[in-house]
């Protein structure tokens, strides 16, 4: 999510760090900073100088024109906020004592660690989880300076749970840069008399093509003349460097042809990050970052959103009503704001927005708030306008979404809605502890199943080529799969420019059936579960009119092959979780059809990533 770059060598490092950060700018920004080991005037020892500020890299560069640190060891960071709003204080690097840290990821147990450290007299200067890591390493280094920075980092990380890619430097150990990785990407670049570390290849590509990727739970010590890798137990690890052949543009996309495809692939990781620290099988519960929803007082929940986020809201209605038996109303934000909605004190509105900047959604939030309602949101961009206008926000942690067509933002919104449904269900007594624990277990297994579906891309690509010439598509689904049909149709039309409509399968005979003929592909989402038989009988109606059926069905389904022309078989999941899986083949289908047609997939015509006008 955040961008990281580090350097140790003989060259002046500030320009290298700034250039590296510029190459990571596509990841999005809310603040940026660097830390450089420089020799203080009249001193022989080196001191770390940190320069950081809120906003884009340009703000940092402006600060650096006044006072540019000079030194040959340093690190830089661009932040995508997760804990703590974007501000100068929350910008990385975080320094405590002699230790400075930059971090990408989420420290799950940071509240517990922060409390422990506070008990030992530590005081904090930011709201971030990252600062905890600087305190822990500094404590280790102070207690036993002779162990060195790498060992102090290893000992500190033994206390940390969660996802991290970190780079650490200390003015007590000026000849090393230490870096560690767990579930967040990190690449080491090998130069002549200099070495690099970065969250992404583009940051180091102008300097070297010889790289090593760190694996989970590994720590590396970078010196000017070499790199040593160990695991968390302290055992040495042998890793052979390899040559990267990517161009700079390919590297930004991590080798994927488009950001959209990269983001489809990132969904397992993104859902894992959304669940991180928020679900517990032992407690059979879901926590919502301090949001307490009480079903006893919650008469009704109103969900509002636009586009893909609206489709997430439609799924959310099913989930919350079925799991928690709390009535849910869903509305398009653009409609809601103009219909003088009946909402006031005691009512709760939940807005859903990836960007947190959508004008219609923001206006609807303000309207509900002005009328006295409690306003909450599910958002991806921390501290964007909608979360700022709301009383509380639940962030999805999907990371920056660059492709205009929303993919990982959608699945993480669904994950956040499942969390809300579990939270409410446990408190309303409609979800037993056993059922909640089982649902959470299945929930945690989803990322692996998503990866499994992404492995079906070659089959989906063949289907895309076979049907990519069609002028119109119909998408059908029932229950929670109806919004998925809407989402599949939206994805296809926005990036391939093919006309597509999503329909509730039971509504087909009330109109759209008139469109069906041998030229019309009908994509049906029909996993095993509630409504399966009903959709199967809708399909016989399509077949009777010679429609071409592309089915997304559950592995092991013995009947679907007899009626559908193409069958995409996906792993089984409990009904509330199935939408997180069924949407993935539809995203891939839209992507491969658009790719086949050669459209501008990441920036389709007439569209913008965040719609900040009415
Ligand atoms: O940032 P938001 O979630 O508020 O954006 C809402 C819609 O503009 C957005 O989902 C749009 O429909 C996407 N292009 C869909 O892929």
């Amino acid at each position: 999510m955040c961008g990281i770059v580090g350097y140790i060598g003989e060259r002046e490092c500030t320009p290298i760090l700034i250039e590296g950060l510029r190459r990571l700018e596509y990841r999005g920004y809310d603040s940026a900073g660097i830390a450089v080991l420089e020799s203080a005037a009249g001193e022989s020892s080196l001191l770390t100088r940190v320069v950081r500020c809120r906003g884009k890299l340009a703000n940092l560069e402006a600060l650096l024109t006044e006072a540019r640190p000079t030194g040959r060891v340093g690190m830089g960071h661009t932040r995508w906020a997760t804990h703590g709003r974007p501000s100068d204080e929350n910008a990385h690097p975080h320094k405590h004592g002699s230790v400075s840290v930059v971090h990408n990821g989420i420290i799950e147990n940071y509240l517990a660690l922060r409390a422990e450290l506070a008990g030992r007299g530590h005081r904090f200067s930011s709201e971030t989880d990252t600062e905890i890591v600087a305190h822990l390493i500094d404590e280790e280094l102070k207690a036993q300076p002779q162990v060195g920075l790498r060992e102090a980092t290893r000992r500190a990380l033994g206390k940390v749970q969660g996802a991290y890619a970190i780079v650490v430097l200390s003015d007590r150990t000026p000849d090393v840069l230490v870096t560690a990785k767990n579930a967040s990407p990190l690449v080491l670049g090998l130069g002549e008399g200099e070495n690099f570390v970065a969250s992404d290849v583009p940051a180091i590509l102008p300097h070297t093509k010889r790289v090593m990727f760190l694996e989970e739970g590994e720590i590396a010590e970078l010196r000017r003349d070499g790199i040593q890798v160990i695991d968390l137990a302290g055992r040495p690890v042998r890793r052979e460097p390899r040559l990267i052949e990517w161009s700079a543009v390919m590297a930004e996309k991590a080798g994927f042809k488009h950001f959209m495809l990269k983001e489809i692939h990132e969904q397992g990781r993104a859902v894992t990050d959304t669940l991180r620290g928020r679900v517990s099988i032992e407690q059979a519960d879901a926590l919502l970052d301090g949001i307490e929803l009480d079903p006893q007082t919650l008469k009704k929940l109103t969900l509002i959103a636009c586009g893909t986020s609206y489709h997430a809201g439609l799924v959310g209605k099913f989930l919350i009503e079925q799991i928690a038996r709390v009535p849910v109303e869903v509305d398009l934000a653009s409609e809601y704001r103009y219909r003088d909605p009946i909402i006031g004190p005691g009512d709760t509105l939940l807005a859903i927005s990836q960007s947190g900047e959508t004008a219609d959604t923001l206006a609807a939030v303000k309207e509900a708030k002005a009328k006295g309602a409690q306003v909450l949101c599910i958002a991806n961009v921390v501290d964007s306008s909608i979360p700022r206008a709301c009383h509380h926000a639940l962030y999805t942690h999907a990371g920056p979404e660059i492709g205009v067509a929303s993919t990982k933002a959608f699945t993480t919104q669904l994950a956040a809605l499942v969390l809300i449904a579990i939270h409410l269900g446990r408190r309303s007594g409609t979800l037993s502890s056993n059922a909640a624990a089982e649902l959470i277990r299945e929930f945690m297994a989803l990322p692996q199943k998503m990866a499994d579906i992404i492995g079906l891309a070659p089959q989906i690509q063949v289907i895309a080529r076979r049907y990519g010439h069609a002028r119109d598509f119909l998408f059908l689904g029932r229950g929670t799969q109806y919004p998925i049909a809407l989402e599949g149709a939206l994805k296809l039309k926005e990036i391939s420019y093919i006309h597509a409509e999503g329909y509730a399968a039971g509504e087909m005979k009330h109109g759209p059936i008139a469109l069906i003929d041998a030229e019309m592909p009908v994509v049906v989402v029909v996993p095993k579960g509630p409504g399966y038989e009903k959709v199967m009988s809708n399909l016989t109606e399509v077949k009777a009119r010679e429609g071409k059926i592309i089915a997304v069905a559950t592995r092991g389904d013995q009947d679907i092959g007899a009626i559908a022309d193409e069958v995409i078989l996906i792993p089984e999941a409990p009904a509330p979780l199935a939408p997180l899986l069924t949407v993935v083949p539809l995203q891939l289908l839209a992507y491969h059809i658009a790719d086949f047609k050669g459209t501008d997939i990441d920036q389709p015509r007439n569209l913008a990533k965040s719609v900040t006008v009415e």
Side-chain angles (χ1 to χ4, degrees):
M1 290 192 257
C2 305
I4 288 179
V5 57
Y7 174 80
I8 183 163
E10 295 301 338
R11 289 192 277 163
E12 200 49 64
C13 72
T14 299
I16 296 172
L17 300 177
I18 296 298
E19 177 55 24
L21 294 181
R22 191 172 295 115
R23 287 170 180 272
L24 301 179
E25 211 165 8
Y26 67 94
R27 296 176 70 100
Y29 270 100
D30 57 54
S31 51
I34 59 170
V36 175
L37 280 175
E38 67 173 5
S39 44
E43 303 270 341
S44 55
S45 57
L46 296 176
L47 276 180
T48 310
R49 194 149 131 236
V50 175
V51 185
R52 56 185 189 162
C53 62
R54 182 186 172 149
K56 290 189 178 280
L57 188 58
N59 296 9
L60 177 67
E61 287 181 286
L63 266 185
L64 291 173
T65 52
E66 291 157 25
R68 167 176 291 244
T70 54
R72 282 144 201 209
V73 182
M75 61 196 187
H77 186 269
T78 64
R79 181 164 184 250
W80 171 267
T82 56
H83 290 75
R85 76 216 135 80
S87 67
D88 290 354
E89 299 72 38
N90 290 336
H92 299 212
H94 288 281
K95 184 167 190 288
H96 181 73
S98 75
V99 172
S100 300
V101 176
V102 293
H103 165 222
N104 175 16
I106 299 165
I107 306 295
E108 265 175 46
N109 58 339
Y110 93 102
L111 285 176
L113 291 172
R114 194 176 165 108
E116 273 176 33
L117 286 161
R120 296 200 288 275
H122 288 252
R123 294 290 166 265
F124 304 97
S125 55
S126 78
E127 303 158 316
T128 65
D129 49 348
T130 306
E131 192 188 349
I132 306 301
V133 181
H135 282 250
L136 290 173
I137 300 173
D138 186 63
E139 231 181 24
E140 296 288 348
L141 204 53
K142 272 199 186 115
Q144 285 188 289
Q146 73 282 5
V147 299
L149 188 60
R150 185 182 75 186
E151 179 57 16
T153 302
R154 189 188 74 80
R155 291 178 184 183
L157 289 178
K159 299 172 186 157
V160 167
Q161 290 161 14
Y164 52 77
I166 58 168
V167 185
V168 190
L169 62 76
S170 163
D171 29 50
R172 282 171 183 254
T173 56
D175 294 328
V176 293
L177 208 51
V178 170
T179 186
K181 168 197 154 73
N182 191 43
S184 286
L186 207 56
V187 59
L188 309 179
L190 289 77
E192 294 297 323
E194 57 183 8
N195 287 304
F196 305 81
V197 53
S199 54
D200 308 77
V201 172
I204 55 175
L205 209 54
H207 308 289
T208 181
K209 288 193 183 311
R210 283 181 71 222
V211 302
M212 293 193 311
F213 289 94
L214 279 194
E215 300 292 346
E216 308 314 338
E218 290 181 351
I219 301 172
E221 179 180 272
L222 282 73
R223 294 179 179 270
R224 286 178 179 81
D225 54 0
I227 294 179
Q228 279 190 337
V229 182
I230 58 166
D231 64 17
L232 269 183
R235 291 176 299 238
V237 173
R238 265 190 70 80
R239 175 80 20 85
E240 291 304 319
R242 58 186 240 216
L243 276 185
I244 284 274
E245 300 297 349
W246 297 346
S247 69
V249 173
M250 279 165 79
E252 278 185 3
K253 296 173 188 157
F256 290 100
K257 192 170 175 187
H258 296 97
F259 280 112
M260 182 185 176
L261 189 59
K262 173 172 179 265
E263 286 156 7
I264 290 173
H265 279 248
E266 283 173 349
Q267 290 183 106
R269 193 275 306 147
V271 167
T272 303
D273 282 349
T274 304
L275 301 192
R276 201 179 289 287
R278 290 171 171 162
V279 282
S280 158
I281 295 179
E282 295 72 37
Q283 292 165 27
D285 202 3
L287 303 173
L288 308 176
D289 295 0
I291 301 175
E292 278 297 330
L293 288 171
D294 179 3
Q296 314 313 330
T297 52
L298 193 65
K299 297 184 296 271
K300 181 186 76 178
L301 185 61
T302 302
L303 304 184
I304 52 123
C306 300
T308 287
S309 300
Y310 171 69
H311 298 155
L314 292 175
V315 177
K317 175 180 168 67
F318 277 90
L319 299 177
I320 295 168
E321 290 191 340
Q322 289 189 357
I323 294 176
R325 306 308 295 160
V326 171
V328 178
E329 174 192 32
V330 195
D331 214 336
L332 290 161
S334 52
E335 291 294 319
Y336 184 82
R337 61 188 287 200
Y338 288 115
R339 68 171 165 84
D340 192 13
I342 304 170
I343 193 161
D347 294 327
T348 300
L349 176 132
L350 174 68
I352 307 172
S353 174
Q354 185 286 131
S355 62
E357 300 294 348
T358 301
D360 286 319
T361 311
L362 180 60
V365 162
K366 288 182 175 165
E367 167 103 15
K369 198 175 178 186
K371 289 185 164 184
Q374 166 176 238
V375 286
L376 310 173
C377 68
I378 294 172
N380 191 34
V381 181
V382 173
D383 216 30
S384 48
S385 302
I386 292 170
R388 284 208 308 274
C390 287
H391 294 112
H392 292 286
L394 181 64
Y395 289 111
T396 51
H397 300 323
E401 193 178 63
I402 314 283
V404 163
S406 195
T407 52
K408 63 176 179 172
F410 179 68
T411 39
T412 54
Q413 287 166 349
L414 295 183
L417 287 158
V418 176
L419 290 175
I420 292 174
I422 294 173
H423 182 89
L424 279 169
R426 291 297 293 132
R427 280 148 193 79
S428 67
T430 52
L431 184 67
S432 71
S433 130
N434 283 348
E438 186 49 31
L439 191 55
I440 292 169
R441 196 169 290 114
E442 291 279 358
F443 206 175
M444 293 167 90
L446 278 187
Q448 187 49 50
K449 293 183 181 179
M450 289 174 133
D452 182 328
I453 295 170
I454 286 165
L456 301 175
Q459 182 206 354
I460 295 172
Q461 198 169 12
V462 170
I463 298 173
R465 293 215 169 112
R466 214 168 268 159
Y467 297 91
H469 58 271
R471 279 190 39 211
D472 308 277
F473 271 71
L474 194 59
F475 286 72
L476 301 176
R478 253 178 200 259
T480 48
Q481 302 304 334
Y482 161 50
I484 297 304
L486 294 177
E487 176 59 8
L490 177 63
K491 283 289 86 80
L492 183 65
K493 69 185 129 193
E494 69 179 333
I495 58 169
S496 75
Y497 317 142
I498 294 174
H499 168 243
E501 285 195 55
Y503 253 90
E507 276 291 294
M508 190 185 62
K509 56 187 170 297
H510 297 289
I513 199 165
L515 297 171
I516 295 175
D517 61 16
E519 300 304 310
M520 175 72 126
V522 178
V523 180
V524 62
V525 196
V526 59
K528 284 280 185 186
Y532 171 82
E533 276 79 20
K534 299 272 178 214
V535 181
M536 288 298 274
S537 59
N538 296 139
L539 289 186
T540 57
E541 295 157 9
V542 174
K543 207 68 219 158
R545 284 149 190 93
E546 296 182 1
K548 296 280 176 289
I549 298 175
I550 303 167
V552 174
T554 309
R555 253 173 226 164
D557 186 329
Q558 304 289 333
D559 304 317
I560 190 73
I563 192 157
D565 299 271
E566 315 284 348
V567 182
I568 303 166
L569 290 170
I570 65 168
E572 196 166 4
L577 303 178
L580 282 105
L581 298 184
T582 51
V583 74
V584 178
L586 303 193
Q587 295 166 344
L588 285 168
L589 183 65
Y591 172 81
H592 285 296
I593 290 178
D595 190 37
F596 170 62
K597 294 189 73 183
T599 58
D600 187 351
I601 291 181
D602 284 333
Q603 290 175 329
R605 69 185 182 204
N606 307 338
L607 293 174
K609 185 64 188 163
S610 65
V611 185
T612 52
V613 291
E614 248 193 85

